[in-house]
């Protein structure tokens, strides 16, 4: 914590910056002896660059926000949440959870315009002038997570470099994690976990059977007759054999999530938040097992 003098000139950006540069919490006493606290270092800044022609920028209009970068942001969030299990960063359209979003532009000079886009992005430039912004609340302090930041960064970079989209099963599992961390709903988490499990297992089992020569038309024909329980307890053990005792326990834990979901639907069960946490962990562990065996889930 840093204490600032009541004589601090807040109309001086340099003075405020100097005070806040090394402070996690800055307390300032104004001339009326009222304590005012300013927080710093409570967020992460993310810069997204989108190139626009001058005509495109002018067509946007002075009062409109350019959301062309929203797809870039959402793909980053999907990948980040899959890798880290930290579900606090919101998708772009989940606007009530965005803390601060600002927009500005930098005009390229003629030599820069002659370069390819990769070279242009490496050019130094002046600070982007900001003329539009949004401010709203955030779940910044919610959730429980722990991950190796270097390993997570490396994995995210590999996904983007390869242009690999986040599997639907992982995106759905992130929804279950949000239900636990942000909404404290064990019931919603277990339902979402079961959907994620069903998506992943169906993809793995179907792909393996088609590869073995089974007609996809026949698979679609009998799709409703083969449930998730059969796939988890019969198909997967056959495809993954030989299984260690630990791997069999992974399958059993995932199957328990399916059974608990059935109790919710058919008997009105009300799982606790802790049960939701366990379900997310169980399904994530199974998806990680499948991925370690070469399946893209």
């Amino acid at each position: 914590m840093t204490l600032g003098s009541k004589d601090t000139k807040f109309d001086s950006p340099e003075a405020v910056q100097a005070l806040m540069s090394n402070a996690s919490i800055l307390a300032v006493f104004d001339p009326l002896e009222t304590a005012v606290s300013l927080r710093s270092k409570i967020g992460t800044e993310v810069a997204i660059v989108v190139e626009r022609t001058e005509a495109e920028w002018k067509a946007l209009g002075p009062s409109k926000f350019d959301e062309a970068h929203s797809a870039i942001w959402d793909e980053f969030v999907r990948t980040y949440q899959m890798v880290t299990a930290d579900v606090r960063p919101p998708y772009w359209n989940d606007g009530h959870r965005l803390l601060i979003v600002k927009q500005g532009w930098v005009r390229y000079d003629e030599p820069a315009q002659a370069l390819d886009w990769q070279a242009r992005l490496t050019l130094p430039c002046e600070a982007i002038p900001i003329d539009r912004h949004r401010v709203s609340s955030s779940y910044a302090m919610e959730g429980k997570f722990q991950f190796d930041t270097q390993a997570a960064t490396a994995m995210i970079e590999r996904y983007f470099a390869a242009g690999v989209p986040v599997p639907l099963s992982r995106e759905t599992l992130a929804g279950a994690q949000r239900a636990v961390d942000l909404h404290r709903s064990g019931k919603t988490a277990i339902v979402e976990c079961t959907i994620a499990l069903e998506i992943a297992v169906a993809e793995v089992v179907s792909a393996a059977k088609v590869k073995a020569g089974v007609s996809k038309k026949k698979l679609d024909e009998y799709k409703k007759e083969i449930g998730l329980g059969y796939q988890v307890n019969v198909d997967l053990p056959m495809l993954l054999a030989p299984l260690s005792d630990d791997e069999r326990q992974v399958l059993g834990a995932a199957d328990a999530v399916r059974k608990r979901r059935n109790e919710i639907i058919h008997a009105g069960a009300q799982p606790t938040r802790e049960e939701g946490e366990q379900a997310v962990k169980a399904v994530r562990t199974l998806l990680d097992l499948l991925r370690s065996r070469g399946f893209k889930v």
Side-chain angles (χ1 to χ4, degrees), residues 267-289:
Q270 297 293 326
T272 63
R273 183 187 184 188
E274 289 69 28
E275 287 182 274
E277 291 178 334
Q278 293 169 6
V280 172
K281 181 179 179 180
V283 174
R284 179 173 287 115
T285 302
L286 177 57
L287 296 189
D288 289 345
L289 170 60

Side-chain angles (χ1 to χ4, degrees), residues 157-175:
E157 288 177 347
R158 287 198 300 272
Y159 261 82
F160 283 130
V164 178
V166 173
L168 181 57
S169 57
R170 295 283 181 168
E171 187 175 347
T172 305
L173 187 61

Side-chain angles (χ1 to χ4, degrees), residues 6-239:
K6 66 181 182 180
D7 297 325
T8 300
K9 296 184 180 300
F10 285 96
D11 57 349
S12 166
E14 292 77 16
V16 175
Q17 184 177 8
L19 274 173
M20 297 187 70
S21 60
N22 296 313
S24 294
I25 299 178
L26 172 65
V28 178
F29 292 88
D30 67 17
L32 299 178
E33 304 299 329
T34 303
V36 178
S37 65
L38 301 175
R39 294 172 182 267
S40 64
K41 301 181 181 178
I42 61 172
T44 299
E45 292 185 355
V46 177
I48 299 176
V49 179
V50 178
E51 290 197 334
R52 285 282 188 230
T53 65
E54 187 167 357
E56 288 173 330
W57 178 252
K58 288 181 178 179
L60 186 63
S63 62
K64 294 184 178 180
F65 201 91
D66 184 3
E67 297 194 1
H69 57 278
S70 61
I72 301 171
W73 171 258
D74 284 351
E75 190 60 28
F76 168 76
V77 169
R78 274 190 288 270
T79 307
Y80 173 86
Q81 291 182 352
M82 175 187 67
V83 171
T84 67
D86 173 11
V87 294
R88 297 172 307 165
Y91 290 111
W92 181 257
N93 284 330
D94 193 5
H96 66 285
R97 290 178 53 203
L98 291 177
L99 182 59
I100 298 176
V101 180
K102 296 182 179 180
Q103 174 174 270
W105 67 94
V106 171
R107 183 185 297 275
Y108 288 125
D109 57 21
E110 289 188 5
Q113 294 179 36
L115 302 173
D116 62 53
W117 68 270
Q118 291 175 314
R120 280 198 298 270
L121 292 181
T122 63
L123 293 175
C125 64
E126 297 179 1
I128 297 177
I130 301 299
D131 74 332
R132 302 166 188 170
H133 67 276
R134 296 177 179 175
V135 179
S136 53
S137 61
S138 171
Y139 288 134
M141 304 307 295
E142 296 285 348
K144 298 182 293 185
F145 60 94
Q146 183 176 4
F147 57 87
D148 183 325
T149 55
Q150 290 185 335
T153 299
M155 186 179 295
I156 290 173
E157 288 177 347
R158 287 198 300 272
Y159 261 82
F160 283 130
V164 178
V166 173
L168 181 57
S169 57
R170 295 283 181 168
E171 187 175 347
T172 305
L173 187 61
Q177 188 78 58
R178 280 193 293 276
V180 169
D181 283 352
L182 305 182
H183 306 301
R184 295 175 170 82
S185 173
K187 180 169 71 175
T188 302
I190 289 175
V191 171
E192 291 280 336
C193 279
T194 307
I195 295 172
L197 179 65
E198 189 168 17
I199 292 170
V201 172
E203 289 179 353
V204 168
V205 170
S206 296
K209 289 180 178 179
V210 169
K211 185 177 181 180
V214 178
S215 165
K216 187 177 185 304
K217 183 178 179 180
K218 288 296 182 182
L219 284 176
D220 292 339
E221 185 179 336
Y222 290 99
K223 185 176 182 180
K224 293 183 179 179
E225 298 185 26
I226 300 177
L228 178 59
Y230 184 92
Q231 292 177 320
V232 172
N233 293 290
V234 177
D235 287 334
L236 282 186
M238 179 183 66
L239 293 175

